[in-house]
Amino acid sequence: MPTVSMTVNGKQVKADIDPRTLLVQFLRENLRLTGTHVGCDTSQCGACVVHVNGKAIKSCTALALGMDGAEVTTIEGLASGSQLHPMQEAFRENHGLQCGFCTPGMIMTAVDIVRRKGHDLEEKLIREELEGNICRCTGYHNIVKAIGAGAKAMAKEGSTQQAAE
Amino acid sequence: MYAFTYHRASGLRQAGNMLAKLDDPKLLAGGQTLLPTMKQRLASPANIIDLNQIEGMSGIELKGRSLTIGAMTRHYEVASSPVVQEAIPALAYLAGLIGDPAVRHRGTIGGSIANNDPNADYPAACLGLGATIITSKRRIAADDFFLGLFETALEPDEIITKVSFPVPKKAGYYKFRNQASRFALVGVFVSKRSSEIRVAVTGAGGNGVFRVTAFEEALKKRFSAKSLDGLTVPADNLASDIHGSAEYRAHLIGVCAKRALDAADK
Amino acid sequence: MSATGIGAAVRRKEDFRFITGKGQYTDDISRPGQTSIYFLRSPHAHARIGKIDTAAAAAMPGVVAVLTGAEFAESKLGSLICGWTVLSKDGSPMKMAPHPALAHGKANHVGDGVAVVIAETLAQAKDAAERIVVDYEVLPAVVDPMKAAARGAPQIHDVAPDNTIYNWHIGDPEATAAAFRNASHVTTLEFVNNRLVPNPMEPRAALAEYDPGTESFTLWNTTQNPHVARLVISAFVGMAPEHKLRVIAPDVGGGFGSKIFIYPEEVVCLWAARKVGRPVKWTADRSEAFLTDAHGRDHVTKAQLALDREGRITGLKVHTTANLGAYMSTFSSAVPTFLYAPLLSGQYAIPHIYCEVDAVYTNTVPVDAYRGAGRPEAAYVVERLVEVAARELNMEPATLRKKNFVRTFPYQTSVASLYDTGDFEASLNKAMKIHDVEGFGRRKREAERRGRLRGLGFSAYIEACGVAPSSLVGQLGAGVGLWESAEIRVNPTGTVELLTGTHQHGQGHETTFAQVVSERLGIPIENVTVVHGDTDKVQFGMGTYGSRSGAVGLSAVVKALDKVENKAKKIAAHLLEAAEGDIVFRDGKFSVTGTDKSVAFADLALQAYVAHKFPTAEIEPGLKEGAFYDPTNFTFPAGCHICEVEIDPATGETQIVAWTAVDDFGTVINPMIVEGQVHGGVAQGVGQALYEHTVYDDRGQLMTGSYMDYAMPRAENLPSLKVDTTVTKCPGNPLGIKGCGEAGAIAAPAAVMNAITDAIGTEKIEMPATPQSVWAAIQSVNNNRRAAE
């Protein structure tokens, strides 16, 4: 079986895997990082979003072997020790989650939106940027609020958060 | 997925050799189409050749009136490139509509046009701009490249390396999405160069992306939406499914063409 | 109101694990020695199953076992059941066909499980399943409920001639017919309430483990009601005695009703786990969920409203054909009958109502409760009829409604429901003001200048929630009571565990239930833990659905709190050397009236367990009390939603430009959570009205079997909502709660369709109002207009 090695949440990992192993399966089953979820089989729902080399991707639509040498951040790697990431805080503060299943993917997508679009996000833009994330519980109203608030909070955090990322 | 052997190509020539020699091989670019297809067990390549580590296959270059994009260039790179936004803004706009942000971080132009999904966006841009598809073996004009549903002129061991777009005077794209898949139910790309006017339609064709010569004729007098008033596309030979009848698609082609022309003016 | 008590927007305690990826959903759990199971499912909608050749599959790498429906039949385990007996007009019981966990002899829908492969990995199980050869004899299928009972339709189950499950009715046919004969105006509508696939984001999963040492099972399962699952699997399927089956619902990622039912998969996992002697784990992939999760709605209805000269409603006549799919799912019989017709009076005083419902089998996925369960269907009937009647009579939609509102409570409807309290006009007026209905005309004209069509639609809905009073539903055929349980365990150090038989799957009980306990006992909310979802830990409860956890679940909590307070006062009397009658409990302190003698709750708790200072022959040591609460009536949340749409006539695309919801939920424990429930419910109702189309071809193949073809609403498809409330407290339960979980899904479809039909000027359009169907409707309006000129 081929070997894959990558850095996940700052830790070097290496394993022999079946080539069919998707990145999401590698994370959930080999590394027991079950915060990243599988919600669909057509790459549409976004529950599996993680960051690879600083960019949000759908981990269900990537082979683990294809990510050899990459730097991967999952939801478990977002907080700095016991300090929550401002986007995580914003989701809690704004009731941006109900059952929590889509939430890790939403939060990872949200952080990626801020990196690409900045800290002052309009409602229309946020809704467009959530094209690849489906939520069945919240109707998105509070998710949009949370992301707007989290984006502003990330501006305040500024340099400290950059270092952690 | 069915079991397969994974190969990481370190160079284009090696990738070409693998493609020629391995049993039942498939190239892996962004994987945003191939991997879902394999997950559903609708495709079962015995060998996967990963192109992602090959240097020099991505990049955007404007030389004179020719914009060339490397085959492994991701959609988000095209969408956010100041070079593309300046030279062919409609192309940057189209790339920004493909899939969703996470898909755009991985999906590539080469992968998209090699696949020729009848609902994809890039085939409309290529046909709508008169692009040239450059492969490991030759140069193919867009008019000769897209042959049918999921069918292109590519030979089994041929690899797309670049796509070259002539810079138009004006160009526009309008996409009306399928509400479920978010692919184009109908997408129309229009462009005008000094000599040539093109109107390319994706999503609606019964045989994939196609040009609407009747519209192109009418636009020769004036490249604007008004020139298409009263013109319709016949519904026969158009795709028909639960998302849209042929008649509805025929109607949308007219609407999308006009809106693409309005966008071209901005 | 304290910062963490009833009415406070307390941020949720459960969120920490969800936002950090530390939630424990069923698929996150792995057990030592675990195997994966894969279900081989019928690709045919209707077929006889002949020989199944499993030899090649069994020899594949990693395969532990291959099992078929024949082997399941040999096990003598029981059928899955529908637990609510509905009688036909002639008094005969519904025709419930056997539903084995693995099909044997006949497959009755695409997706019906036929065999399973248990292997070391899921990939190996799938590889092996492809080697199973099933000898199918394909039979003609019927998918259209209007064709199922017609002559010549393929017969699906021997017990149900003409594929008919029951012909049910409610109301007074003669009085209603007379009302129609005397009517000054009759409004008639025929429409479909479209089939939906619930699609919670977490797919269903089951992990079963058998311990031969104790001869007992553990089942981790994505269920909204672990105790009910345990009861059905032990008493009806006969898998194990109830006390030898532990069912754990860990974190559950959404349910919306689809995770209430007892499905074949968990039964087969349990059976397989004992057979192979290793834990067996199943997780649906999304395409599998489309073919196995119970679908919702699927009614074909003709409805008529009779009105007098003044615009007062004098009668309502409804005929509905309900498609229940290939088998009767757990609650399926009640959804188009007792959860539907009793709401047909809506918010209006309608003296005469008659409703007939024919339920049929078809070769499609079984249909059962989905958010609202029968009430969205009823609200759609009433609110579309009322809006159309207003248009036909040239009255404002608000005016016609106000003419007909129930204003005196309690109100006995002519379809059994006894409305306890409400103020329908208050919600309507408030909604109209917040929405600025007055300004609609101006906004419509402005939109016209941009070439867009604007429309406004009302939905003044009512629902029956807080399911349900046990003896009442028993009389109606339910096999269970719908009370709820709670247990309050005060620990020696004064912290509290609240055990509840409800089970959240997004509703925030770990916070709201803690709010109630914290306020009552005067202890910090951090000191309260809510325990749920484990049949080993929690006493029997009926679970979470039907907007019942607040109205019924919290009422049980209040009863238990009453008992805790009573006992604590007895102990306090001894500690403070006073008469029990002089003890007052307030703000977390027991004190003696007229003195400054007091003891704090935490200190009293310790004393209860130390048990030195009170006569333990009279008062037992400890402080733990349980209660069961049986509601005396349904609750009746109600409200008014207003939807404003803008349509692009060139494409038929509809955009919702504004949404106002004013709901009366009685007492609200946490307004932030309640608003979230409204947002989510509206989103699902909008999904039904605009996007979600479940399409079968005439061979019974599901054409919309993934998100590529089944349109789930995205953020871009929904607006931000204006949400507010009016309050008439429910007189039926101690906290005055009506419940809020389903309201949005019940109100929304009619509001959207009323708005669209207002914009385009025709009623002839069905849900989902996709761009193509709106465009086609506009074309036909234009064609009719041209023909008339």
Side-chain angles (χ1 to χ4, degrees):
Chain A
M1 287 208 289
T3 309
V4 70
S5 71
M6 60 180 84
T7 308
V8 180
N9 297 333
K11 250 174 60 174
Q12 266 286 325
V13 297
K14 193 165 155 162
D16 296 331
I17 55 170
D18 181 329
R20 301 185 266 189
T21 309
L22 301 168
L23 179 61
V24 66
Q25 289 165 324
F26 182 66
L27 296 170
R28 288 179 57 77
E29 291 163 33
N30 293 66
L31 302 181
R32 302 300 307 151
L33 292 168
T34 55
T36 305
H37 299 145
V38 175
C40 78
D41 49 15
T42 48
S43 311
Q44 293 173 276
C45 81
C48 69
V49 170
V50 299
H51 296 169
V52 171
N53 297 334
K55 299 218 158 28
I57 72 152
K58 296 192 163 176
S59 64
C60 74
T61 315
L63 293 177
L65 283 176
M67 299 295 129
D68 191 77
E71 289 219 13
V72 180
T73 308
T74 70
I75 185 71
E76 292 93 336
L78 206 56
S80 303
S82 59
Q83 168 124 48
L84 288 180
H85 188 284
M87 189 56 78
Q88 289 170 309
E89 278 289 6
F91 267 74
R92 173 164 59 185
E93 180 59 29
N94 289 279
H95 191 36
L97 63 147
Q98 292 182 20
C99 82
F101 195 77
C102 77
T103 306
M106 281 290 175
I107 292 175
M108 299 308 279
T109 294
V111 172
D112 185 73
I113 294 172
V114 177
R115 287 187 188 147
R116 288 182 292 106
K117 300 289 185 180
H119 298 276
D120 227 314
L121 303 175
E122 296 218 353
E123 179 182 334
K124 185 167 186 288
L125 176 75
I126 296 173
R127 287 182 182 276
E128 282 166 7
E129 289 288 323
L130 289 177
E131 180 74 22
N133 292 78
I134 303 178
C135 173
R136 200 50 157 164
C137 290
T138 67
Y140 306 101
H141 180 118
N142 284 342
I143 289 178
V144 172
K145 263 179 78 185
I147 294 177
K152 289 195 164 63
M154 281 172 72
K156 291 201 191 88
E157 281 272 331
S159 51
T160 22
Q161 211 48 45
Q162 231 97 16
E165 285 157 12
Chain B
M1 292 193 185
Y2 293 107
F4 58 85
T5 309
Y6 174 87
H7 310 268
R8 200 171 287 129
S10 52
L12 189 59
R13 191 167 305 150
Q14 187 193 36
N17 286 338
M18 288 183 189
L19 204 50
K21 299 210 171 95
L22 290 171
D23 169 44
D24 193 16
K26 202 97 174 95
L27 296 172
L28 177 66
Q32 301 304 285
T33 298
L34 179 60
L35 294 178
T37 312
M38 288 172 67
K39 282 161 69 177
Q40 279 157 40
R41 295 190 163 216
L42 293 173
S44 55
N47 289 282
I48 294 290
I49 302 160
D50 190 335
L51 299 174
N52 286 277
Q53 309 282 28
I54 299 179
E55 301 248 340
M57 277 194 81
S58 74
I60 298 166
E61 196 185 11
L62 179 67
K63 242 192 184 154
R65 296 198 64 74
S66 191
L67 178 72
T68 302
I69 302 178
M72 287 298 290
T73 310
R74 314 281 174 183
H75 302 324
Y76 86 91
E77 291 176 287
V78 175
S80 59
S81 156
V83 174
V84 181
Q85 285 170 1
E86 170 70 42
I88 314 178
L91 186 61
Y93 173 70
L94 175 147
L97 293 179
I98 299 172
D100 58 61
V103 166
R104 294 195 281 276
H105 282 149
R106 296 292 300 163
T108 66
I109 182 170
S112 170
I113 67 176
N115 184 44
N116 195 18
D117 186 314
N119 297 97
D121 300 291
Y122 265 129
C126 291
L127 201 59
L129 286 166
T132 305
I133 289 93
I134 300 154
T135 78
S136 48
K137 290 177 142 185
R138 54 191 169 133
R139 302 168 66 91
I140 312 172
D143 285 330
D144 302 323
F145 184 83
F146 302 101
L147 298 184
L149 301 175
F150 298 100
E151 223 195 294
T152 69
L154 287 174
E155 277 154 27
D157 60 347
E158 199 169 0
I159 302 176
I160 301 174
T161 57
K162 299 193 236 266
V163 185
S164 177
F165 296 91
V167 176
K169 246 205 172 70
K170 281 186 176 176
Y173 184 58
Y174 189 86
K175 175 178 183 175
F176 188 78
R177 286 185 198 266
N178 171 320
Q179 292 181 104
S181 71
R182 319 306 263 200
F183 277 67
L185 186 67
V186 171
V188 179
F189 199 103
V190 301
S191 77
K192 173 186 165 76
R193 268 191 301 148
S194 46
S195 44
E196 201 176 40
I197 288 180
R198 285 171 170 264
V199 176
V201 175
T202 186
N207 205 33
V209 64
F210 67 98
R211 290 169 68 176
V212 188
T213 38
F215 284 14
E216 291 173 356
E217 279 304 309
L219 290 169
K220 284 199 170 124
K221 284 189 225 96
R222 225 183 119 203
F223 190 72
S224 96
K226 269 201 99 49
S227 303
L228 298 184
D229 277 349
L231 287 186
T232 53
V233 171
D236 17 294
N237 297 326
L238 292 186
S240 184
D241 61 20
I242 58 172
H243 299 292
S245 64
E247 189 206 15
Y248 180 59
R249 282 174 151 105
H251 166 75
L252 283 179
I253 290 172
V255 174
C256 293
K258 287 184 171 180
R259 292 182 180 181
L261 287 160
D262 289 339
D265 270 333
K266 293 205 176 87
Chain C
M1 189 229 295
S2 79
T4 57
I6 293 174
V10 178
R11 300 318 190 247
R12 298 195 331 172
K13 287 151 71 66
E14 49 270 76
D15 282 1
F16 180 77
R17 64 184 186 272
F18 296 139
I19 61 182
T20 55
K22 293 182 181 30
Q24 280 274 285
Y25 299 90
T26 303
D27 189 62
D28 298 340
I29 298 167
S30 285
R31 299 291 298 159
Q34 160 178 302
T35 59
S36 289
I37 190 171
Y38 180 73
F39 282 74
L40 182 70
R41 299 183 179 284
S42 171
H44 306 293
H46 198 197
R48 264 187 258 283
I49 303 168
K51 185 164 166 303
I52 302 183
D53 188 344
T54 60
M60 292 279 285
V63 171
V64 172
V66 182
L67 304 169
T68 68
E71 284 154 282
F72 189 86
E74 278 165 25
S75 73
K76 299 282 186 281
L77 290 169
S79 206
L80 293 163
I81 50 125
C82 172
W84 194 310
T85 306
V86 169
L87 305 178
S88 281
K89 290 166 180 165
D90 63 5
S92 63
M94 66 198 190
K95 310 286 194 286
M96 185 170 78
H99 185 186
L102 275 181
H104 177 53
K106 207 148 79 74
N108 294 301
H109 68 92
V110 172
D112 211 352
V114 163
V116 290
V117 178
I118 297 118
E120 299 293 342
T121 71
L122 184 57
Q124 288 171 327
K126 284 187 180 179
D127 289 341
E130 291 198 7
R131 301 299 188 90
I132 300 176
V133 183
V134 182
D135 192 8
Y136 288 110
E137 183 202 328
V138 180
L139 303 168
V142 58
V143 296
D144 183 343
M146 300 309 281
K147 296 198 176 126
R151 187 154 307 162
Q155 293 300 292
I156 303 173
H157 296 293
D158 292 335
V159 309
D162 299 324
N163 296 316
T164 297
I165 299 171
Y166 52 71
N167 303 110
W168 179 87
H169 66 170
I170 188 173
D172 187 336
E174 285 85 39
T176 306
F180 274 83
R181 280 195 298 275
N182 298 323
S184 156
H185 183 88
V186 172
T187 295
T188 304
L189 285 178
E190 292 186 51
F191 47 71
V192 168
N193 200 292
N194 47 322
R195 177 184 279 243
L196 303 171
V197 182
N199 277 306
M201 293 320 294
E202 180 207 20
R204 283 189 305 120
L207 171 50
E209 185 166 339
Y210 181 69
D211 178 351
T214 57
E215 294 178 313
S216 58
F217 286 96
T218 305
L219 172 69
W220 288 265
N221 185 219
T222 52
T223 172
Q224 298 175 215
N225 33 256
H227 296 89
V228 176
R230 181 205 212 197
L231 177 61
V232 171
I233 295 173
S234 77
F236 291 93
V237 178
M239 186 68 61
E242 208 177 342
H243 63 300
K244 296 278 193 180
L245 169 60
R246 177 184 185 187
V247 178
I248 301 171
D251 288 323
V252 174
F256 315 113
S258 68
K259 292 174 177 168
I260 294 172
F261 320 118
I262 289 74
Y263 286 95
E265 288 79 26
E266 42 269 32
V267 170
V268 172
C269 285
L270 285 162
W271 172 60
R274 179 159 48 189
K275 256 187 176 303
V276 307
R278 292 170 63 180
V280 172
K281 182 168 172 184
W282 172 77
T283 303
D285 58 37
R286 186 55 63 182
S287 333
E288 193 175 12
F290 270 91
L291 294 178
T292 58
D293 288 359
H295 292 179
R297 315 282 189 263
D298 207 345
H299 289 192
V300 182
T301 296
K302 176 171 174 177
Q304 296 183 290
L305 198 67
L307 301 103
D308 69 14
R309 225 169 292 279
E310 276 81 51
R312 275 192 302 262
I313 303 169
T314 55
L316 169 64
K317 205 165 35 163
V318 178
H319 183 281
T320 291
T321 302
N323 186 351
L324 295 192
Y327 301 102
M328 291 187 76
S329 168
T330 320
F331 273 107
S332 55
S333 57
V335 176
T337 54
F338 297 109
L339 299 178
Y340 167 60
L343 280 310
L344 286 173
S345 199
Q347 294 185 357
Y348 315 107
I350 303 181
H352 304 292
I353 300 177
Y354 181 58
C355 174
E356 296 170 287
V357 179
D358 300 325
V360 294
Y361 286 116
T362 62
N363 295 114
T364 61
V365 174
V367 173
D368 207 323
Y370 167 55
R371 201 167 194 171
R375 284 94 84 229
E377 295 90 310
Y380 193 69
V381 169
V382 178
E383 286 305 288
R384 285 287 290 135
L385 277 174
V386 164
E387 196 100 331
V388 173
R391 290 169 187 165
E392 289 174 353
L393 294 175
N394 243 309
M395 284 176 95
E396 289 294 325
T399 308
L400 181 58
R401 288 181 167 87
K402 289 183 188 183
K403 256 196 188 334
N404 288 281
F405 278 152
V406 170
R407 293 176 188 281
T408 322
F409 297 89
Y411 175 77
Q412 178 63 61
T413 67
S414 48
V415 276
S417 294
L418 175 65
Y419 295 165
D420 51 11
T421 187
D423 186 347
F424 305 140
E425 180 153 345
S427 311
L428 174 66
N429 286 339
K430 194 169 191 181
M432 287 179 70
K433 187 147 183 283
I434 293 173
H435 193 90
D436 184 23
V437 170
E438 260 182 44
F440 174 71
R442 186 188 7 99
R443 295 193 291 275
K444 186 178 169 81
R445 287 187 294 279
E446 188 275 326
E448 264 162 26
R449 289 195 284 274
R450 285 183 285 110
R452 297 286 195 267
L453 306 173
R454 262 206 189 205
L456 192 72
F458 288 77
S459 178
Y461 75 94
I462 189 166
E463 42 173 342
C465 291
V467 298
S470 298
S471 62
L472 172 57
V473 297
Q475 283 164 42
L476 302 177
V480 287
L482 287 165
W483 43 265
E484 197 39 73
S485 73
E487 186 176 300
I488 304 224
R489 291 187 193 168
V490 181
N491 295 320
T493 52
T495 58
V496 170
E497 280 125 44
L498 160 60
L499 294 88
T500 172
T502 63
H503 187 64
Q504 70 179 26
H505 37 281
Q507 298 91 333
H509 299 170
E510 289 174 24
T511 304
T512 54
F513 281 46
Q515 285 177 247
V516 171
V517 173
S518 143
E519 176 174 292
R520 179 69 180 272
L521 298 180
I523 59 176
I525 197 171
E526 303 77 60
N527 288 7
V528 181
T529 295
V530 176
V531 178
H532 52 171
D534 185 339
T535 60
D536 255 19
K537 293 184 188 175
V538 180
Q539 69 292 328
F540 203 101
M542 295 307 293
T544 291
Y545 40 79
S547 312
R548 70 190 304 272
S549 300
V552 190
L554 280 176
S555 300
V557 172
V558 168
K559 271 183 87 170
L561 284 167
D562 288 343
K563 293 183 186 179
V564 166
E565 184 175 327
N566 275 345
K567 180 170 182 185
K569 278 180 173 167
K570 287 186 163 62
I571 296 174
H574 285 278
L575 298 180
L576 300 172
E577 290 168 335
E580 199 186 317
D582 290 336
I583 301 291
V584 166
F585 179 52
R586 203 205 329 260
D587 298 330
K589 270 213 294 270
F590 297 88
S591 46
V592 182
T593 325
T595 77
D596 58 7
K597 287 202 283 182
S598 72
V599 58
F601 182 82
D603 296 328
L604 184 125
L606 184 61
Q607 290 304 320
Y609 284 91
V610 166
H612 290 170
K613 296 196 181 143
F614 55 90
T616 51
E618 288 164 31
I619 308 168
E620 292 176 12
L623 191 55
K624 170 192 79 88
E625 298 290 342
F628 290 74
Y629 174 82
D630 195 10
T632 50
N633 190 5
F634 290 86
T635 63
F636 295 94
C640 182
H641 286 218
I642 300 178
C643 169
E644 192 161 324
V645 301
E646 207 169 90
I647 296 173
D648 178 357
T651 62
E653 190 171 19
T654 301
Q655 202 206 340
I656 299 178
V657 290
W659 194 288
T660 305
V662 175
D663 301 291
D664 182 351
F665 297 133
T667 300
V668 161
I669 305 295
N670 185 322
M672 178 189 80
I673 287 180
V674 165
E675 275 181 30
Q677 291 300 307
V678 175
H679 297 158
V682 167
Q684 288 181 345
V686 167
Q688 168 163 30
L690 290 182
Y691 299 105
E692 296 176 43
H693 208 182
T694 314
V695 180
Y696 273 96
D697 73 8
D698 50 26
R699 288 177 309 126
Q701 296 296 319
L702 182 62
M703 306 297 287
T704 53
S706 80
Y707 294 155
M708 290 295 281
D709 293 300
Y710 187 88
M712 295 282 283
R714 311 299 208 277
E716 215 180 12
N717 300 133
L718 293 160
S720 287
L721 316 187
K722 290 202 173 105
V723 175
D724 207 322
T725 54
T726 55
V727 180
T728 59
K729 288 194 187 197
C730 177
N733 61 62
L735 291 172
I737 296 175
K738 297 194 190 196
C740 68
E742 295 162 291
I746 293 169
V752 176
M753 295 310 284
N754 282 339
I756 291 178
T757 51
D758 179 48
I760 66 178
T762 176
E763 307 300 341
K764 289 189 167 44
I765 181 166
E766 295 276 21
M767 300 192 287
T770 60
Q772 181 179 226
S773 69
V774 172
W775 176 77
I778 293 173
Q779 301 320 298
S780 77
V781 169
N782 291 343
N783 289 341
N784 290 342
R785 203 173 283 151
R786 271 194 287 270
E789 281 158 8

